[in-house]
């Protein structure tokens, strides 16, 4: 599905999903929490899970084995990276200097093709390498280490999930990453050694191959822009993963961008859904009379994740791992700063050349 799918249409689909769940409530059986009355009677399903304490119990009693985590920008704000939509601090409230027609244009493929400058200028702040993973990222790594992480679906382009050492098989970078870059016209791949200096300098990089035949086109990291399709891996894995999932945890996202925002709806009707966020988003039924399996932890991602790590008896492990990595990154950045002050001749010159597909 394309990222420019109308939000209204998706909202409608979510509402239909709601209706389906409601109408199935009295006809479907649940393995984890059987109905309290006889088959066919007009009784409500028993509550599966509606409080954070109940989710903690699932971890304490080792009742979850296939956890899916869906992340957004809110998981990285404690690392110092702003999210997109929080009023005031969010990235989209702070783009005046780029004189965009509307804030999201900075990630719009059609706008980029003619105006790559804004994205390149913004990239100077977005490039991976400056920040370290948060406690919440290390909690996801803990789920992996414990063998109960089915998959982590991330909308983020900061690469922090992977930086914890999470195995790449366990990660779906739904909105792409900076790991490779291509010409938006001929798809020529350009080496990171070439494109990164351009991104760091905020200077749009023209495709040499297109220039050779008299065309003007720019190179873009493989971040999924509005108007582009999500990676095949996202579609392929999401079709099967969510059917197997026994707990989905959604962390730090406004669930405003589809198709990602629809993921929490793909789990079975008996699967508990935990939202760890500063605000209630999506179609989580928290606070509604008919809620039997949605949990909302209203607060910071790190705090919510530590509660779960605590239930697993691993809170201190998460804290130690995060601190150690943060210290390592700080030391590395200090080293890099020192070496960048060396005379030019002592700094390795990046190789030149383009990589063919
Ligand atoms: P948003 O900025 O839309 O949403 C972030 C959510 O996280 C909000 O609901 C915040 O309240 C919440 N939040 C912020 N800090 C938090 C914290 N420390 N703890 C808990 N919650 C916190 O970001 P996304 O949902 O990730 O596309 O945005 C989705 C996509 O929109 C992004 O992938 C991006 C953007 O266009 C790109 O392609 C780059």
């Amino acid at each position: 599905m394309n990222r420019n799918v109308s939000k209204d249409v998706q909202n409608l689909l979510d509402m239909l999903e709601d209706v389906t769940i409601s109408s199935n409530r009295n006809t479907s059986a649940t393995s984890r929490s059987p109905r309290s009355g006889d088959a066919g009677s007009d009784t409500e399903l028993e509550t599966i899970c509606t409080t954070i304490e109940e989710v903690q119990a699932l971890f304490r009693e080792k009742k979850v084995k296939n956890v899916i985590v869906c992340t957004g920008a809110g998981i990285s704000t404690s690392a110092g990276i702003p999210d997109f939509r929080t009023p005031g601090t969010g990235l989209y409230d702070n783009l005046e200097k780029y004189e965009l027609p509307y804030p999201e244009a900075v990630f719009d493929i059609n706008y980029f093709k003619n105006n790559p400058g804004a994205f390149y200028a913004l990239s100077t702040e977005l490039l991976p390498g400056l920040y370290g993973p948060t406690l919440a990222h290390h909690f996801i790594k803990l789920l992996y280490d414990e063998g109960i992480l089915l998959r982590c679906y991330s909308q983020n382009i900061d690469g922090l999930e992977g930086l914890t050492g999470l195995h790449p098989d366990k990660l779906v970078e739904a909105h792409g990453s900076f790991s490779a870059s291509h010409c938006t016209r001929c798809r020529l791949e350009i080496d990171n050694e070439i494109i990164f200096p351009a991104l760091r300098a905020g200077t749009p990089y023209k495709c040499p191959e297109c220039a050779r035949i008299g065309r003007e086109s720019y190179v873009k990291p493989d971040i999924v822009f509005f108007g582009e399709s999500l990676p095949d891996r996202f579609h392929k894995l999401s079709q099967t993963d969510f059917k197997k999932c026994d707990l989905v945890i959604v962390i730090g996202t406004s669930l405003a961008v589809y198709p990602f925002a629809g993921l929490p709806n793909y789990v079975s009707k008996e699967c508990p859904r935990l939202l760890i966020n500063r605000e209630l988003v999506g179609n989580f039924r928290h606070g509604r009379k008919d809620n039997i399996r949605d949990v909302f932890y209203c607060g910071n991602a790190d705090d919510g994740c530590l509660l779960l790590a605590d239930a697993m008896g691993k809170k201190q492990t998460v804290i130690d791992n995060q601190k150690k990595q943060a210290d390592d990154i700080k030391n590395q950045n200090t080293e890099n700063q020192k070496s960048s002050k060396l005379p030019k001749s002592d700094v390795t010159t990046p190789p030149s050349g383009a990589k063919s597909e």
Side-chain angles (χ1 to χ4, degrees):
M1 206 186 295
N2 199 295
R3 271 192 75 187
N4 59 10
V5 164
S6 148
K7 199 180 169 201
D8 291 343
V9 173
Q10 287 292 348
N11 282 341
L12 195 64
L13 289 172
D14 284 353
M15 279 162 61
L16 284 172
E17 168 79 1
D18 279 4
V19 172
T20 315
I21 291 170
S22 306
S23 63
N24 282 347
R25 181 141 309 139
N26 291 329
T27 53
S28 68
T30 159
S31 53
R32 296 194 52 203
S33 182
R35 290 192 301 151
S36 50
D38 294 340
S41 69
D42 198 21
T43 50
E44 287 289 306
L45 276 178
E46 276 180 18
T47 298
I48 294 170
C49 194
T50 57
T51 66
I52 189 74
E53 290 77 17
E54 286 170 315
V55 181
Q56 283 182 296
L58 293 177
F59 281 106
R60 196 176 301 114
E61 294 158 21
K62 298 192 189 307
K63 283 192 173 155
V64 281
K65 303 207 173 339
N66 287 305
V67 181
I68 293 181
V69 184
C70 299
T71 61
I75 195 176
S76 300
T77 53
S78 68
I81 306 172
D83 67 8
F84 294 91
R85 295 179 180 80
T86 292
T89 57
L91 190 72
Y92 290 149
D93 257 5
N94 292 284
L95 297 174
E96 294 87 358
K97 58 187 166 191
Y98 302 120
E99 295 177 353
L100 298 160
Y102 55 96
E104 286 91 344
V106 72
F107 295 120
D108 186 300
I109 189 62
N110 293 318
Y111 185 78
F112 175 88
K113 282 178 180 168
N114 297 314
N115 309 277
F119 171 74
Y120 269 83
L122 189 62
S123 289
T124 58
E125 298 162 41
L126 293 182
L127 275 178
L130 296 170
Y131 306 94
T134 64
L135 291 164
H137 290 107
H138 279 277
F139 166 69
I140 299 169
K141 173 65 164 37
L142 171 71
L143 296 179
Y144 168 65
D145 291 340
E146 295 293 305
I148 58 172
L149 180 71
L150 175 55
R151 206 85 62 190
C152 173
Y153 286 76
S154 175
Q155 295 168 96
N156 299 339
I157 54 173
D158 53 33
L160 296 188
E161 284 93 353
L163 211 58
T164 60
L166 183 64
H167 194 283
D169 284 354
K170 291 288 174 185
L171 181 61
V172 176
E173 292 179 310
H175 292 173
S177 73
F178 282 93
S179 61
S181 298
H182 291 86
C183 168
T184 52
R185 189 195 288 264
C186 74
R187 304 301 301 157
L188 177 77
E189 185 172 351
I190 302 292
D191 279 339
N192 282 349
E193 287 85 353
I194 297 170
I195 199 70
F196 268 53
L199 289 164
R200 265 187 222 111
T203 314
Y205 189 87
K206 281 186 188 165
C207 172
E209 192 54 35
C210 288
R212 204 176 53 79
I213 54 168
R215 288 180 163 173
E216 186 174 272
S217 178
Y218 293 92
V219 174
K220 177 182 87 54
D222 293 353
I223 294 165
V224 181
F225 275 28
F226 291 105
E228 291 189 301
S229 295
L230 273 67
D232 287 347
R233 181 174 160 75
F234 169 87
H235 296 293
K236 205 169 151 221
L237 290 174
S238 61
Q239 271 176 25
T240 49
D241 279 353
F242 284 82
K243 288 178 192 148
K244 298 182 211 155
C245 173
D246 53 19
L247 171 68
V248 62
I249 309 178
V250 178
I251 313 176
T253 172
S254 60
L255 290 180
V257 176
Y258 284 87
F260 191 99
L263 290 181
N265 299 330
Y266 295 175
V267 294
S268 78
K269 294 173 184 67
E270 297 82 30
C271 176
R273 310 190 306 173
L274 166 63
L275 171 68
I276 300 177
N277 211 45
R278 286 183 181 158
E279 56 179 342
L280 187 60
V281 295
N283 64 355
F284 280 76
R285 303 176 119 74
H286 168 78
R288 282 172 49 168
K289 264 191 187 165
D290 61 354
N291 179 28
I292 58 161
R293 52 82 179 255
D294 284 352
V295 181
F296 176 39
Y297 174 84
C298 181
N300 287 326
D302 291 342
D303 298 339
C305 289
L306 279 186
L307 283 179
L308 303 180
D310 196 24
M312 295 165 78
K314 301 278 179 173
K315 180 176 170 179
Q316 200 53 47
T317 307
V318 169
I319 292 173
D320 292 345
N321 290 347
Q322 193 273 339
K323 187 178 178 319
K324 185 179 177 312
Q325 194 173 27
D327 290 345
D328 289 349
I329 289 170
K330 204 170 149 194
N331 292 339
Q332 187 61 52
N333 283 344
T334 313
E335 284 301 309
N336 290 348
Q337 266 173 4
K338 274 187 203 156
S339 62
S340 71
K341 282 181 190 149
L342 291 173
K344 273 245 154 40
S345 57
D346 289 346
V347 182
T348 317
T349 317
S352 62
K355 216 193 258 178
S356 297
E357 284 261 83

